[in-house]
């Protein structure tokens, strides 16, 4: 009986230790010089035939600290809010529970009050997943009169619509070398 219980504990620890696959993100930034609003959609998959429980860590820029507010984590696939724990001022964490061979789509939104002449979105932690993102799409929306002096990644396209300037990036097989930084 002890051997059976030990084997079950060992097998469940393997199942718990399996990790979801983060494979796609679609992010829209709104920047006005005072705030950076982030609305992101993140796709995760469980490729195994067993349920997976993954602890997800979502980082904030180091200098943002207590300037982050209005945080929302919403599991679109399940149609409900996902509880999260703020990890001091450096990010948040939450658990995702996947059925076998399941995919989850999350929406994460927050607002960051800016303290300098740049806004940062953390991308380099993608390396921690051990593989590039299959697809990544980014959009930056600013007032048309707002000037961006420098981008860490030059946009693939930009255009004006009414009184807004929209910048667009589309990446495939994307392993970020640096964070997304907008200097204004």
């Amino acid at each position: 009986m002890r051997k059976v219980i030990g084997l079950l504990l060992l097998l469940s620890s393997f199942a718990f230790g399996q990790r979801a696959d983060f494979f796609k993100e679609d992010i829209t930034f709104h920047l006005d010089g005072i705030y950076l609003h982030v609305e992101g959609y993140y796709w995760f998959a469980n490729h195994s035939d067993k349920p997976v429980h993954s602890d997800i860590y979502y980082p904030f820029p180091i200098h943002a600290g207590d300037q982050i507010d209005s945080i929302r984590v919403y599991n679109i696939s399940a149609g409900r809010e996902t509880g999260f724990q703020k990890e001091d001022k450096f990010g948040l964490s939450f658990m995702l529970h996947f059925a076998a061979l399941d995919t989850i789509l999350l929406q994460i939104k927050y607002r960051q009050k800016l303290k300098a002449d740049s806004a940062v979105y953390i991308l380099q932690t993608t390396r921690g997943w051990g593989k590039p993102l299959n697809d990544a799409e980014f959009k930056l929306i600013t007032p048309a009169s707002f000037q961006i002096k420098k981008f860490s990644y030059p946009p693939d396209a930009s255009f004006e619509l009414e009184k807004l300037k929209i910048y667009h990036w589309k990446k495939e097989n994307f392993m970020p070398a640096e964070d997304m930084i907008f200097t204004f």
Side-chain angles (χ1 to χ4, degrees):
M1 183 65 168
R2 279 188 168 162
K3 288 182 181 180
V4 171
I5 292 172
L7 180 61
L8 287 175
L9 287 173
L10 180 64
L11 291 175
S12 42
S13 71
F14 283 138
F16 188 80
Q18 289 176 336
R19 190 169 189 191
D21 175 25
F22 173 42
F23 66 94
K24 181 178 179 179
E25 69 181 353
D26 184 339
I27 315 295
T28 301
F29 307 101
H30 292 266
L31 177 62
D32 63 11
I34 299 169
Y35 290 100
L36 174 67
H37 295 262
V38 177
E39 179 178 356
Y41 294 87
Y42 305 88
W43 283 259
F44 298 86
N46 173 9
H47 300 293
S48 80
D49 60 354
K50 307 241 184 290
V52 169
H53 307 284
S54 282
D55 188 18
I56 307 295
Y57 178 74
Y58 186 94
F60 296 135
I62 291 173
H63 67 277
D66 57 356
Q67 303 299 310
I68 303 283
D69 65 18
S70 307
I71 301 168
R72 179 179 188 219
V73 180
Y74 189 78
N75 184 331
I76 293 172
S77 301
R80 67 174 177 264
E81 296 279 332
T82 295
F84 62 88
Q85 181 173 359
K86 199 150 182 213
E87 301 290 339
D88 197 12
K89 58 186 176 183
F90 303 110
L92 55 94
S93 63
F94 52 91
M95 288 296 293
L96 285 183
H97 305 282
F98 294 83
L101 304 171
D102 196 10
T103 300
I104 292 177
L105 172 59
L106 288 180
Q107 177 195 55
I108 300 177
K109 296 169 74 171
Y110 66 89
R111 181 178 77 161
Q112 175 188 345
K113 186 167 185 173
L114 301 171
K115 299 192 293 188
D117 64 350
S118 63
V120 178
Y121 175 75
I122 303 293
L123 282 175
Q124 292 185 65
T125 53
T126 299
R127 293 183 172 282
W129 290 87
K131 69 174 208 61
L133 290 169
N134 296 353
D135 294 292
E137 189 166 348
F138 307 97
K139 293 161 289 295
L140 170 64
I141 301 170
T142 68
S145 61
F146 191 79
Q147 294 298 312
I148 302 290
K149 293 178 183 173
K150 184 179 175 188
F151 297 94
S152 58
Y153 294 93
D156 298 322
S158 66
F159 54 94
E160 286 192 32
L161 180 65
E162 296 181 13
K163 295 182 179 185
L164 298 174
K165 181 95 177 204
I166 301 169
Y167 303 89
H168 184 260
W169 296 259
K170 177 94 171 120
K171 306 288 186 191
E172 293 179 357
N173 198 28
F174 183 49
M175 183 62 86
E178 55 189 311
D179 293 328
M180 182 71 80
I181 303 171
F182 313 117
T183 304
F184 51 90

